[in-house]
């Protein structure tokens, strides 16, 4: 290993790389990680010097607060390599700002921009060979923070660990996605932490999603906690509905995550002259549209899959199949977005940032 210091980041490089052990043609999403990771501790009321070092497990005290009281947040981002071997991030400021909003909501310290952004840039430069060219290839970036203070008293931790790990990925194919609309379970409630990317939000979804899987559905479309009449998110993604030629999606709130892909698709659709309505979408409205033939498409939107088309939904034990559409709006928007991300089309919005 060799140790250096760059822009107040201590860097220890791995003696050898494991990149030649990886089959980049057969990657399982989020299962393979690069040679290095970034780590920065918050102790004694201040952030310490960030460290980039070889990817490896670390020791954890059994009484660490994250295990007992769930102070844990994360983000999901991607980096892309263009034909000139330059590496680009997509709207990283949105992820950085949302990360710190999540931190505030979970009573955790905000991460300084130089730790998050400069650390990420250095990490990507060190592991740049892991970022592969070609549309569909990307580097999935997982910044996260956990409470590392010890003791089982039910208080916020005094100590925290911020980390970034990198995972090379290829195109995310989810296959045929059928969903069931939630009638009892809720993803989040008013006054809760639904708008934060808190780990517990995702853990709470596993049980109702498992029940849906047993019934032959891949995901759940979540409804509001109070009345279960308003459509909110699909699985771990924001959700869009196309009724005739209008694109509908729910407004962000304390219950709904302010997705980066979501807001990007809204801007892209508007720039293409598509009528977009950001408003509450009722379950009854969706069922009626499915029955009269005006419901054309449903799709989820998120970092991993970008857009995940939904082939049908079930509500009150009645299944509604969606029509097969050539040149679907979901396909058009996904192509436009991924072309910008991969520098195959001009970025007139200023979303891409060169490393």
């Amino acid at each position: 290993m060799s140790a250096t210091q760059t822009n107040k980041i201590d860097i220890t490089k791995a003696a050898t790389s494991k990149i030649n052990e990886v089959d980049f043609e057969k990657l399982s999403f989020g299962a393979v990680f690069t040679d290095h990771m970034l780590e920065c501790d918050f102790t004694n009321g201040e952030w310490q010097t960030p460290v980039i070092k070889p990817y490896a497990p670390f020791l954890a005290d059994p009484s660490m607060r994250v295990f007992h009281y769930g102070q844990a947040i994360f983000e999901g981002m991607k980096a892309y390599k263009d034909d000139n071997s330059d590496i680009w991030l997509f709207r990283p400021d949105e992820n950085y700002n949302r990360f710190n909003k999540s931190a505030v909501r979970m009573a955790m310290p905000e991460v300084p921009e130089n730790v998050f952004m400069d650390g990420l840039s250095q990490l990507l430069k060190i592991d740049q060979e892991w970022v592969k060219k070609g549309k569909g290839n990307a580097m999935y970036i997982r910044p996260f923070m956990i409470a590392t203070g010890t003791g089982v008293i039910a208080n916020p931790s005094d100590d925290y660990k911020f980390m970034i790990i990198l995972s090379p990925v290829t195109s995310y194919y989810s296959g045929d996605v059928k969903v069931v609309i939630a009638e009892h379970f809720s993803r989040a409630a008013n006054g809760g932490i639904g708008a934060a990317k808190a780990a517990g939000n995702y853990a709470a979804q596993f049980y109702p999603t498992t029940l849906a899987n047993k019934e032959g559905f891949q995901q759940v479309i979540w409804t509001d906690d109070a009345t279960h009449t308003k459509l909110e998110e699909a699985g771990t993604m924001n959700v869009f509905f196309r009724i005739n030629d209008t694109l509908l999606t729910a407004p962000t709130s304390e219950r709904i995550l302010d997705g980066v892909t979501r807001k990007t698709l809204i801007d892209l659709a508007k720039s293409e002259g598509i009528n977009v309505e950001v408003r509450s979408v009722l379950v009854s409205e969706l069922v009626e549209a499915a029955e009269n033939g005006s419901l054309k498409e449903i799709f989820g939107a998120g970092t991993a899959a970008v857009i995940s088309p939904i082939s049908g939904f079930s509500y009150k034990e009645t299944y509604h199949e969606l029509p097969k559409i050539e040149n679907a709006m979901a396909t058009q928007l996904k192509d436009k977005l991924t072309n910008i991300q991969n520098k195959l089309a001009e970025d007139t919005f200023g979303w891409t940032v060169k490393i």
Side-chain angles (χ1 to χ4, degrees):
M1 297 183 183
S2 61
T4 60
Q5 187 177 70
T6 303
N7 295 329
K8 297 183 179 179
I9 299 175
D10 290 337
I11 299 174
T12 301
K13 291 187 178 180
T16 58
S17 174
K18 60 192 180 207
I19 192 169
N20 291 328
E21 303 170 13
V22 177
D23 185 348
F24 284 86
E25 300 298 320
K26 297 179 180 179
L27 291 172
S28 296
F29 191 91
V32 174
F33 297 93
T34 65
D35 292 321
H36 299 88
M37 61 186 188
L38 179 136
E39 183 176 308
C40 188
D41 291 317
F42 182 88
T43 58
N44 299 318
E46 60 184 19
W47 287 100
Q48 307 303 303
T49 300
V51 174
I52 292 177
K53 60 184 182 180
Y55 184 97
F58 58 87
L59 290 174
D61 191 292
S63 72
M64 227 161 62
R65 299 286 176 88
V66 65
F67 299 140
H68 302 273
Y69 304 111
Q71 277 184 290
I73 61 172
F74 68 94
E75 270 298 326
M77 311 166 61
K78 281 182 179 176
Y80 308 85
K81 181 177 282 185
D82 66 17
D83 290 339
N84 297 318
S85 295
D86 291 324
I87 297 174
W88 299 81
L89 293 170
F90 185 76
R91 308 190 76 173
D93 55 323
E94 294 285 350
N95 294 100
Y96 171 69
N97 291 332
R98 189 173 64 183
F99 188 88
N100 278 336
K101 288 179 181 178
S102 296
V104 170
R105 181 61 184 86
M106 297 299 290
M108 305 170 83
E110 296 180 62
V111 176
E113 186 172 1
N114 67 300
V115 173
F116 191 108
M117 293 297 194
D118 295 348
L120 174 56
S121 294
Q122 289 295 331
L123 184 60
L124 283 168
K125 288 176 181 177
I126 291 171
D127 282 341
Q128 61 183 292
E129 294 303 315
W130 289 78
V131 190
K132 298 302 182 182
K133 297 179 184 178
K135 190 173 181 180
N137 295 320
M139 180 65 73
Y140 185 78
I141 302 163
R142 174 50 61 92
F144 65 99
M145 179 163 51
I146 58 174
T148 54
T150 56
V152 295
I153 185 171
N155 284 334
S157 176
D158 292 323
D159 302 320
Y160 298 87
K161 186 181 292 292
F162 170 71
M163 300 186 70
I164 303 177
I165 54 178
L166 306 176
S167 178
V169 295
T170 55
S171 294
Y172 188 104
Y173 295 106
S174 56
D176 194 34
V177 177
K178 297 188 293 184
V179 301
V180 59
I181 294 177
E183 298 177 51
H184 171 70
F185 293 104
S186 299
R187 177 190 175 273
N190 284 331
I193 59 171
K197 281 191 76 71
N201 282 342
Y202 296 79
Q205 296 183 37
F206 293 159
Y207 175 65
T209 302
T210 298
L211 295 180
N213 294 162
K214 291 177 179 178
E215 297 297 323
F217 300 97
Q218 285 68 49
Q219 289 291 352
V220 177
I221 290 187
W222 307 104
T223 50
D224 68 290
D225 63 300
T227 67
H228 293 291
T229 61
K230 299 175 183 178
L231 299 157
E232 302 205 321
E233 294 194 354
T236 59
M237 309 176 80
N238 294 116
V239 63
F240 287 81
F241 310 92
R242 175 188 170 190
I243 296 179
N244 290 320
D245 289 325
T246 297
L247 199 58
L248 308 173
T249 193
T252 56
S253 67
E254 291 180 312
R255 302 186 307 274
I256 299 177
L257 189 71
D258 187 12
V260 178
T261 305
R262 170 191 174 276
K263 64 176 62 179
T264 300
L265 291 177
I266 290 172
D267 289 344
L268 267 180
K270 289 180 177 178
S271 73
E272 293 295 316
I274 296 171
N275 184 37
V276 180
E277 294 183 8
V278 179
R279 62 170 176 81
S280 294
V281 183
L282 299 178
V283 177
S284 58
E285 181 181 4
L286 191 72
V287 171
E288 180 181 354
E291 291 176 345
N292 66 28
S294 61
L295 177 62
K296 306 301 183 183
E297 299 178 62
I298 305 175
F299 54 88
T303 300
V306 184
I307 286 179
S308 181
I310 292 170
S311 60
F313 71 92
S314 177
Y315 180 65
K316 293 190 179 298
E317 300 184 354
T318 298
Y319 182 70
H320 302 271
E321 185 79 21
L322 270 67
K324 303 293 184 183
I325 297 179
E326 292 186 13
N327 202 26
M329 192 177 288
T331 303
Q332 294 180 55
L333 290 173
K334 183 175 182 177
D335 284 345
K336 291 181 182 300
L337 175 52
T338 54
N339 282 342
I340 292 173
Q341 290 171 329
N342 287 275
K343 307 304 289 183
L344 299 174
E346 184 182 0
D347 175 16
T348 59
F349 300 90
W351 287 333
T352 51
V353 177
K354 188 176 178 180
I355 292 297

